Amino acid sequence: AAGAPKPLPSSGPKSLREMPHPLATSSSEEMGPALTPSPDLLLPRSVADKDLSLPNGTPVDTSSPASSSSLLNRLQLDDDLDGETRDLFVTVDDPKKHVCTMETYITYRVTTKTTRAEFDLPEYSVRRRYQDFDWLRNKLEESQPTHLIPPLPEKFVVKGVVDRFSEEFVETRRKALDKFLKRITDHPVLSFNEHFNVFLTAKDLNAYKKQGMALLSKMGESVKYVTGGYKLRSRPLEFAAIGEYLDTFSLKLGTIDRIAQRIIKEQLEYLVELREYGPVYSTWGGMEVELSEPLEGVSACIGNCCTALEELSEDMTEDFLPVLREYILYSESMKNVLKKRDQVQAEYEAKLEAVALKKEDRPKVPTDVEKCQDRVECFNADLKADMERWQNNKRQDFRQLLMGMADKNIQYYEKCLTAWESIIPLLQDKPETK
């Protein structure tokens, strides 16, 4: 975008229950054997021919479309992802710049409206800075290790933006932070997390950061396992397929991200040349009396094309690139959860081998082995459920993204077409000189 970044409003030199796990009690009949996977989950081509379902019985279709027409058909799915009644609404807005002696930073207003009994009031409004969001995400990873935690935007590197206090940068980050909290709010488990409650309601979050939470999630404690160097024999086929899918997905998306950034860079370079190109016709028109009107028309036409191209580049930078980056980071988060699941399974296999060696002395399976098996089953169920939710979100987000990109490009070319058509009458109506 042209022009100097617009300043933000400044505040001046001021300083700044345990919920039962909804999937943990699922019976083994609902989940299937802990280590007997469905072999074709997420396999790119064969999955469409399989009858796959998650522990709750929901069918899964995560195949990659083979053509643009099949992509359009796929994008018709999941129009109403939020069919359930919602009782928690969170928004991030009103960024403010704070200038202190030691640092300058941005805070955002986080507004919560809810009817949940876990909240003392129906509405809250607190101010949070980026590092507070980062604290929340770390706490969610610690206390909910079996779940996919939505990614945060990168702290320092946002390509194409130099001033992190510019209005453009702050607005892009605000949108990302708002989406981060909405992802958590929509999650049936993460939205009930005690740390999330504190983040939304505590007036002084620093006090909680220093003292830590009194209650720690049992799952969080249980995940501090030690495998003793034991390596997983082999990842079950369904989770191996998830890993392969995520590798391919992040690779393709990374390529699109790099190419899109190059296109935007070239568009901006072209825009600089175009801005110099138009005035030349206007200057020429001042020297040619008979041609002044059509030449001025060409100059105005190029100016209109400049405006249209600038709007298109802004839309790509502000709406297209952030979604790509979010899903690249999302795939990395999913890979981390997959690694944690593998560690729990490796621990379980190691314990089983140890029991097998001592079965003459201990005919009964020890309780810690059974608990470890429960963790594996819980990880499997949670990972499958979150993968389904992620795929549904992805289909909706990319449908909206691609349709928006198509609309913006159509608008751009329509504006350029209208601009060029406007000068045709100036040339046609000009009487011929004898």
Side-chain angles (χ1 to χ4, degrees):
K6 297 184 264 310
L8 286 166
S10 174
S11 65
K14 296 180 182 178
S15 60
L16 270 173
R17 291 165 196 126
E18 289 281 310
M19 286 295 298
H21 197 295
L23 294 173
T25 55
S26 299
S27 67
S28 58
E29 290 78 18
E30 290 173 318
M31 290 187 210
L35 300 178
T36 308
S38 303
D40 296 296
L41 180 62
L42 291 176
L43 290 178
R45 301 236 175 354
S46 61
V47 70
D49 301 323
K50 303 295 179 181
D51 183 16
L52 299 175
S53 63
L54 289 163
N56 61 6
T58 305
V60 178
D61 179 14
T62 55
S63 60
S64 300
S67 66
S68 58
S69 60
S70 61
L71 173 62
L72 290 174
N73 291 334
R74 173 68 58 75
L75 294 177
Q76 303 306 313
L77 301 176
D78 307 313
D79 282 323
D80 187 17
L81 190 62
D82 297 323
E84 69 273 9
T85 303
R86 297 180 60 190
D87 54 5
L88 180 63
F89 300 87
V90 180
T91 57
V92 178
D93 60 9
D94 189 28
K96 282 188 178 178
K97 184 177 180 181
H98 298 257
V99 182
C100 301
T101 306
M102 300 298 293
E103 63 176 338
T104 300
Y105 58 93
I106 305 294
T107 64
Y108 304 85
R109 179 174 62 190
V110 178
T111 304
T112 305
K113 295 182 180 180
T114 183
T115 56
R116 290 187 181 181
E118 292 78 20
F119 292 84
D120 296 329
L121 300 174
E123 186 171 343
Y124 295 86
S125 180
V126 295
R127 298 204 70 85
R128 298 287 184 252
R129 56 188 297 187
Y130 179 89
Q131 66 181 30
D132 298 330
F133 288 84
D134 192 44
W135 170 86
L136 170 62
R137 191 180 189 284
N138 290 333
K139 287 297 182 183
L140 289 175
E141 279 196 328
E142 291 175 10
S143 57
Q144 310 281 177
T146 65
H147 284 288
L148 172 62
I149 311 301
L152 279 172
E154 292 111 326
K155 184 170 185 179
F156 296 112
V157 181
V158 174
K159 296 177 181 178
V161 178
V162 177
D163 182 9
R164 66 190 182 96
F165 295 115
S166 71
E167 186 178 23
E168 292 81 4
F169 176 92
V170 173
E171 176 59 17
T172 299
R173 172 164 286 183
R174 183 203 65 77
K175 289 179 181 177
L177 296 176
D178 183 74
K179 182 175 285 188
F180 169 72
L181 291 188
K182 281 180 168 56
R183 301 278 197 208
I184 299 172
T185 301
D186 292 340
H187 197 282
V189 177
L190 300 181
S191 63
F192 287 94
N193 185 276
E194 58 188 343
H195 303 295
F196 187 46
N197 187 306
V198 168
F199 176 87
L200 297 177
T201 61
K203 287 296 182 184
D204 183 14
L205 191 61
N206 289 326
Y208 286 89
K209 288 182 179 180
K210 292 175 182 177
Q211 70 185 26
M213 295 294 290
L215 298 174
L216 290 175
S217 165
K218 293 180 181 178
M219 182 57 68
E221 291 178 339
S222 68
V223 96
K224 296 176 182 177
Y225 35 74
V226 179
T227 60
Y230 182 91
K231 290 186 177 181
L232 187 66
R233 289 198 198 95
S234 64
R235 182 183 280 174
L237 291 179
E238 59 184 332
F239 297 110
I242 291 176
E244 291 172 4
Y245 169 82
L246 292 171
D247 288 339
T248 303
F249 176 76
S250 58
L251 179 65
K252 298 298 183 186
L253 223 56
T255 302
I256 294 174
D257 180 51
R258 288 191 298 273
I259 294 174
Q261 290 192 56
R262 286 204 304 269
I263 291 173
I264 292 173
K265 181 175 179 290
E266 291 170 3
Q267 282 178 339
L268 294 176
E269 291 171 351
Y270 173 58
L271 187 58
V272 171
E273 300 293 337
L274 210 57
R275 286 197 178 112
E276 295 179 2
Y277 186 50
V280 176
Y281 286 92
S282 182
T283 305
W284 182 14
M287 300 168 58
E288 301 275 359
V289 177
E290 292 184 353
L291 296 176
S292 64
E293 190 175 3
L295 288 175
E296 287 289 350
V298 172
S299 179
C301 168
I302 294 173
N304 291 334
C305 291
C306 284
T307 302
L309 181 58
E310 183 178 11
E311 291 173 356
L312 179 64
S313 298
E314 286 178 353
D315 289 329
M316 290 283 287
T317 302
E318 296 173 8
D319 299 328
F320 185 74
L321 291 181
V323 176
L324 296 182
R325 283 306 305 163
E326 183 198 16
Y327 272 92
I328 291 171
L329 295 172
Y330 235 135
S331 62
E332 294 303 317
S333 298
M334 181 65 86
K335 289 178 188 177
N336 290 334
V337 179
L338 202 56
K339 288 178 183 177
K340 292 177 184 178
R341 194 218 72 85
D342 291 347
Q343 286 178 300
V344 171
Q345 183 184 334
E347 181 192 24
Y348 174 54
E349 290 179 357
K351 288 181 182 294
L352 279 181
E353 285 192 1
V355 170
L357 293 174
K358 301 177 182 179
K359 64 180 180 179
E360 306 86 18
D361 305 327
R362 302 179 64 182
K364 186 180 178 182
V365 177
T367 305
D368 62 334
V369 176
E370 294 177 347
K371 288 182 178 179
C372 192
Q373 182 182 9
D374 290 341
R375 289 205 299 273
V376 174
E377 292 177 350
C378 186
F379 246 114
N380 291 349
D382 288 351
L383 188 54
K384 289 177 185 178
D386 279 3
M387 189 68 184
E388 180 203 24
R389 175 175 289 273
W390 182 73
Q391 290 283 9
N392 287 338
N393 286 335
K394 176 168 66 69
R395 284 196 288 272
Q396 284 203 113
D397 289 344
F398 277 92
R399 174 184 56 196
Q400 182 179 354
L401 180 73
L402 297 176
M403 290 178 66
M405 184 170 65
D407 287 340
K408 296 298 182 183
N409 275 276
I410 290 170
Q411 292 170 17
Y412 165 69
Y413 287 108
E414 283 179 341
K415 288 175 182 177
C416 291
L417 179 62
T418 301
W420 285 109
E421 285 180 338
S422 68
I423 67 171
I424 293 177
L426 299 177
L427 301 174
Q428 290 177 334
D429 296 340
K430 194 74 176 176
E432 293 184 8
T433 57
K434 294 183 180 180

